[in-house]
Every structure is written in C-alpha cells, then in structure tokens.
Amino acid sequence: MGRFYDEFGRRLRRARLAAELTQEQVGAFVGLSRTSVTNIEAGRQQIPLHLLVRLASAVGVSPGELLPEDEDEPRRGKLEHEELLKGLDERSQGWARRVMSAVDAKGGEG
Amino acid sequence: MKKAEQRARDLLRELGIDTPPVPVDEIVERLGATISREPFRGGISGMLYRTDARAVVGVNSAEPPTRQRFTVAHEIGHFLLHEGRPLIVDRHIRVDRRDASSSMGTKREEVEANAFAAELLMPEEMLRRHVEALVRDDAALPADRLANRLAREFEVSGQAMEIRLGALGFLSPLIVASG
C-alpha cells in the first residue's frame, strides 16, 4: 500500500515540476495547504478519489498518468496467460499451464 | 539471420564459454530466466513465457536429451531476439529445415531462433577447431564418423551435426580428400 502512494507522490511531483508550478500554487488550486501537498508528494497522505482528479487538472495531466501500475503482477499474469493460451488446443494448453505452475510452485518471487 | 548468429556468438563471448558442450540450461539461469521441464506426448517441443518480472523456458521432457538442448537454445533465441512476445509455444522445432513448422511466433522469428540455436550449440569457430583437430588425428576419418564424434562432443543429435557441418561447408574438403 505504502509503495502505491510513494509512487503516486513521485508522479505528482514530476508532473508539477514539468508544469513549472510550486506546491503552494497546486495547493491553492485544489484547496489544500502547501504542507498537505508536500505530504502527498512524499507518499505520506492517502488521498480521496475526487482529489486525484483535482490534482491531475492542477498539474495538467490525466488522472491515469498519476496512477501507478498494478503491483499484483502474478494475478494479472494469470489472467493474461489464460488469454494467451486461447490459441492452443486443449492438451497443449494443459502442458503450458503445467510448465507455468511448476515454476510458480518453486516460489520464484523474482 | 546474420543478426541472430551474431547475437549467439556475442552471448558465448560475454559468458566466457569456448568449449563444448555449451551449457544451455546454465545460460538460461544466467540470463535470469527459469527452466521448467514437463513431459508431453505430441508435437510440442518447448515454449517461452514472460512477464515484466520473469521469464520461463518450458521444455518437453519426453523428447530426447539432444532435442531438449536444441529446444532450450531455440527458446533462448526467442528470449534475446524477440522481445515483446509474452508467449511463444513451439511445435516440433525442426532442426533439419529452414521452414520451421511452428508455432505462435512468426515464420521469420522461428527461422531466426533456429539460426541462433545452431550457432549457440555448434558455434562456427569452435566447431572448426574441433573438426581440424579430429582430421589432424585421423585424416582418413569418414565424414559420417566425424559427424558422430562431434555430435557426442557438442551433445547434439548426429543429424543436427551433419546438417550443420554441411551448411558450414566443413564436409566438402573431407569428401574431396577421401575421394
């Protein structure tokens, strides 16, 4: 969770600097103090959704550009490989799944 | 094609490998990928699966060991040459033909992966040295026995070695010499 807000803060900061705005200016635009903006950029403050949209307009990017990627890669990977396997016949799909799961079972996190 | 073979040569040099048999499983690990062996009765030789975080080389372990080595080398080729493809499943990788009857990769990719694999397992210069050494020992060595000796040293099939020797033109002087 913390990583998510760290990354969000980094993206916000990068977009703000690219727009050549100060933390005060962004704060004034969205109705927050400079300190709050500092905290958000440092990943210390978890913001509500409407503030995401406001902050994005303040720095001139779309909300999506401020959002980190999904870190739950293994689960996303599973969905993806089901999609990828569709082109194969059933027995081949079974084999490909065994190959993938044998590696998952070994618990390679890296 | 030249690009694929050059990549195989560069890889061997980077890893300091200059004697046969080329340790393909170890190369996979050193590239940060994982090997997974599962038996399959049917026309699949191997596969390459990757996400941002990991890469898996799948090998059909029901095939002969020399074939499995070729499969691993072929998948390393896909891994290094064909980024951006999350899954490639290779049906019967053909050692003997240029028109690989495969697969989920494109035809060009299969041809490149095969060229890469041939150079990785039987690098031209390494092979030349071994051919010369064997011929020096026994100038009358028949071509088929030469191919078999080399196939054992390089841990590839006799057929793959014969094709490779032929493709590199290493057999013709012998045939001339013995004829």
Side-chain angles (χ1 to χ4, degrees), chain A residues 4 7 11 64 66-73 76, chain B residues 52:
Chain A
F4 182 92
E7 175 60 21
R11 287 176 183 230
L66 295 180
L67 293 176
E69 300 297 316
D70 186 3
E71 285 185 4
D72 202 351
E73 177 65 37
R76 198 182 61 179
Chain B
D52 294 342

Side-chain angles (χ1 to χ4, degrees), chain B residues 27 69 77 105 125 140-141 152 177:
Chain B
I27 291 175
R69 279 172 54 76
E125 286 315 309
L141 193 64
R152 279 197 299 278

